[in-house]
Amino acid sequence: MRRKVVAGNWKMHGSRAMARELVGQILAASPGGPEIILCPPSVYISEVVRLCEGSALMVGAQDLAERDGSGAFTGDVSADMLHDVGARWVLVGHSERREYHAETNDMLARKFDSAQKSGLTPILCVGETLAEREAGRVEEVIGEQIHAVIRANGIATFENAVLAYEPVWAIGTGKVATPAQAQEVHAFIRSQLAREDANIAGLTRVLYGGSVKPANAAELFAQPDVDGGLIGGASLAASDFLAICAAAR
Ligand code: PEP
């Protein structure tokens, strides 16, 4: 039985005041059921870690540096630093990083490795654009996004990782994948892991992300290979986020 996960990606939104209010509202509801991860912008991680102390809520980063350790890499934040301030999870390869920062599959395989070496659990985001879907390339694109990580780091690396299927055409657009579309791709993702190791494939959580809202979450999470959600816009409103967490019970 895979325990469900709901992760909130705040993207480049918020402030210290907003973090205090949002986390306060979530804590007051003491949501049970899924593992819950909040991914604020990196400058607010310490604050959110402090707010979540003593609760079951966990904190993740939205990105990390490609290189380990420290060095002359202005603007970068390493996996060690994220771990040092209390993050325990990190998104790797969100489509906005792939698109606006030209992050490649090889680069992301290094970030994935760096995260794990520092004790962070990577959430590897994969997904196709609308053009790739219309060209019938969904499996080719997602297969390569996954196998780049397996080639570089080995299948055992997925013993301590989560995957998130995020069709690029569904992120922030209000266009959600149907439960059947999501299930089809999630089953494909699991089959790619199973080609290497059936046990790991059976245990790895695969989240769905892309316009998840309280109204569609339950149906998506009821699919056999959908193990929770990666939530953008709806993670910024406590009532929506809590309703989505409740749908993952
Ligand atoms: C995301 O940020 O990963 C995401 C899925 O956003 P939204 O829920 O707003 O589509």
Side-chain angles (χ1 to χ4, degrees):
M1 191 53 187
R2 296 181 296 267
R3 185 170 173 202
K4 287 208 166 28
V5 179
V6 176
N9 172 16
W10 296 4
K11 310 196 189 203
M12 197 171 74
H13 291 291
S15 61
R16 289 173 67 208
M18 172 272 202
R20 276 195 293 273
E21 192 180 337
L22 183 56
V23 176
Q25 287 170 335
I26 295 170
L27 286 173
S30 51
E35 288 190 87
I36 300 175
I37 305 162
L38 305 178
C39 302
S42 59
V43 288
Y44 300 129
I45 288 176
S46 297
E47 180 80 9
V48 175
V49 166
R50 192 185 61 74
L51 292 165
C52 293
E53 231 163 47
S55 80
L57 298 186
M58 294 175 287
V59 182
Q62 299 175 14
D63 180 41
L64 75 163
E66 190 183 342
R67 294 174 186 82
D68 300 331
S70 52
F73 304 110
T74 303
D76 280 352
V77 179
S78 72
D80 278 348
M81 292 168 185
L82 295 170
H83 191 274
D84 188 37
V85 296
R88 292 293 176 265
W89 299 78
V90 61
L91 304 181
V92 175
H94 190 282
S95 67
E96 289 151 16
R97 301 292 314 173
R98 293 179 188 265
E99 182 179 355
Y100 304 130
H101 298 270
E103 295 194 354
T104 63
N105 286 336
D106 290 343
M107 192 187 284
L108 294 169
R110 288 191 286 278
K111 289 192 175 199
F112 189 101
D113 183 48
S114 183
Q116 286 187 327
K117 280 199 216 138
S118 301
L120 300 174
T121 301
I123 301 174
L124 178 69
C125 304
V126 300
E128 80 289 358
T129 63
L130 186 59
E132 288 163 345
R133 173 164 281 263
E134 286 174 351
R137 297 182 54 222
V138 174
E139 296 193 352
E140 175 203 333
V141 169
I142 293 175
E144 183 49 29
Q145 290 170 338
I146 296 169
H147 286 291
V149 172
I150 297 176
R151 271 197 308 275
N153 305 322
I155 183 65
T157 203
F158 278 99
E159 275 171 358
N160 185 30
V162 167
L163 273 148
Y165 169 52
E166 297 210 304
V168 179
W169 48 271
I171 298 178
T173 59
K175 257 192 238 166
V176 64
T178 64
Q181 279 174 326
Q183 170 56 27
E184 189 182 5
V185 179
H186 281 236
F188 169 74
I189 290 170
R190 208 174 294 291
S191 77
Q192 295 308 290
L193 300 178
R195 262 175 40 180
E196 313 283 333
D197 187 310
N199 188 44
I200 290 175
L203 294 173
T204 302
R205 274 92 59 92
V206 185
L207 316 184
Y208 170 80
S211 298
V212 177
K213 306 287 177 217
N216 57 30
E219 221 189 335
L220 286 160
F221 298 166
Q223 301 305 306
D225 287 298
V226 178
D227 303 308
L230 177 53
I231 319 301
S235 73
L236 297 169
S239 57
D240 285 354
F241 189 64
L242 287 164
I244 292 168
C245 291
R249 274 203 193 131

